[in-house]
Amino acid sequence: MRNIVAFVVGGLFGAGLLLSGMTNTQKVQGWLDVFGDWDPTLAFVMGGAIIPMAIAWQLTKGRRPVLGGEFDAAPDPVVDRRIVIGSVMFGIGWGLVGLCPGPAIASLTFGGIGGVVFMIAMIAGMIVAPKLRDTLA
Amino acid sequence: MQTDWIMGLIGGGLIGTAAALFLLVNGRIMGASGIIGGLVDKSGRHAWQERSALIAGLVIVPALMTMIAGTRPTYLTDNLLLVIIAGLSVGIGTRVANGCTSGHGVCGISRLSLRGIVATVFYIGAGGLTVVVFKHILGLI
């Protein structure tokens, strides 16, 4: 059951990314391009996503997940240099080509060779990341 | 242009609904980089089936939608060197920061997590600066 729910969640996530235009790298770069022809779409996507999720967080209070177990523990609230350095690195890559992990996965079947190359490079980065994360701890 | 905003809100609503469902039903955070990253570095071994199922849905549903309704170009640059550098940077950065646009952005900001807000400010700031430098100053993208 958990896997069926996860598949549906992935499907809704992918449908949302596609419909909102977030698999279009130019719309993402257009949003980051405040000195060019600024495209506000991403802000609407973020806003549209944050509202249902904010309600969901309220609903978790005093409850357990429907399928049992515990809610994922909130991460250590400390803002450390890994958050800053990692996010800056992520932002640079995101700005360079306009892809972040969700849309990169969602567009895998129609993003051409470039999309596949991005995915391979991203996975390679994810394999080496724990070493850097430990160094920065 | 106006329809872009409306589609943005609708698509965003679907993304948020997906994240809400994953939290309330399975008890998990829907962060794309964490879900795939936990599979590749094996830190998420315990929940590999759930992670794989989510990724399968994330690949298959847009694949079917584009097959039925026509493809949606990603307009990704042809410069594969740039794509490789960006992919490495996104892969390393999201795992070092422990989150990306979905985890820190959608799931973090919606619970007013300081980490999520700080991460989002930095990746958007760095992304904006990168576009300014590489597009308007260097003319490379």
Side-chain angles (χ1 to χ4, degrees):
Chain A
M1 193 60 201
R2 300 184 69 88
N3 299 336
I4 295 169
V5 174
F7 182 86
V8 171
V9 165
L12 281 173
F13 187 11
L17 288 170
L18 188 73
L19 290 178
S20 61
M22 293 298 100
T23 54
N24 177 346
T25 59
Q26 290 188 351
K27 281 197 88 62
V28 174
Q29 285 181 317
W31 188 74
L32 291 170
D33 190 8
V34 284
F35 293 110
D37 187 12
W38 190 61
D39 183 338
T41 309
L42 195 142
F44 286 86
V45 181
M46 271 282 187
I50 285 171
I51 294 164
M53 196 52 191
I55 297 168
W57 282 116
Q58 293 303 315
L59 293 174
T60 61
K61 288 179 182 163
R63 288 196 177 84
R64 280 172 173 272
V66 173
L67 293 178
E70 301 283 340
F71 288 110
D72 268 345
D76 188 350
V78 175
V79 175
D80 58 14
R81 58 182 178 169
R82 290 179 294 188
I83 288 280
V84 174
I85 294 169
S87 296
V88 167
M89 283 190 73
F90 164 39
I92 292 171
W94 192 39
L96 279 178
V97 302
L99 273 179
C100 55
I105 301 167
S107 63
L108 199 59
T109 58
F110 57 91
I113 182 78
V116 176
V117 169
F118 181 90
M119 180 68 71
I120 293 168
M122 183 178 87
I123 288 173
M126 287 177 165
I127 291 170
V128 300
K131 286 199 180 71
L132 182 60
R133 192 168 46 201
D134 294 344
T135 313
L136 291 172
Chain B
M1 206 60 195
Q2 211 173 5
T3 51
D4 282 10
W5 303 356
I6 296 165
M7 289 316 284
L9 268 180
I10 295 171
L14 285 176
I15 297 166
T17 304
L21 205 63
F22 204 41
L23 179 69
L24 293 173
V25 180
N26 287 24
R28 303 224 178 261
I29 306 287
M30 190 192 78
S33 59
I35 288 163
I36 187 165
L39 283 176
V40 301
D41 69 16
K42 304 202 171 65
S43 63
R45 202 176 340 200
H46 55 284
W48 70 271
Q49 286 182 325
E50 194 175 29
R51 288 165 189 266
S52 308
L54 192 147
I55 291 170
L58 183 52
V59 172
I60 291 169
V61 170
L64 291 175
M65 286 170 73
T66 52
M67 273 167 68
I68 294 163
T71 192
R72 295 278 288 258
T74 57
Y75 301 105
L76 183 66
T77 174
D78 294 331
N79 185 337
L80 287 183
L81 181 64
L82 209 60
V83 170
I84 291 170
I85 293 168
L88 282 171
S89 185
V90 168
I92 296 171
T94 52
R95 290 303 281 159
V96 168
N98 206 24
C100 59
T101 340
S102 45
H104 278 315
V106 176
C107 299
I109 291 178
S110 60
R111 62 187 274 263
L112 301 176
S113 145
L114 184 62
R115 279 163 56 94
I117 293 166
V118 168
T120 304
V121 166
F122 276 96
Y123 68 68
I124 288 176
L129 207 60
T130 301
V131 171
V132 168
V133 170
F134 282 82
K135 185 175 176 187
H136 297 292
I137 299 174
L138 302 174
L140 288 172
I141 59 174

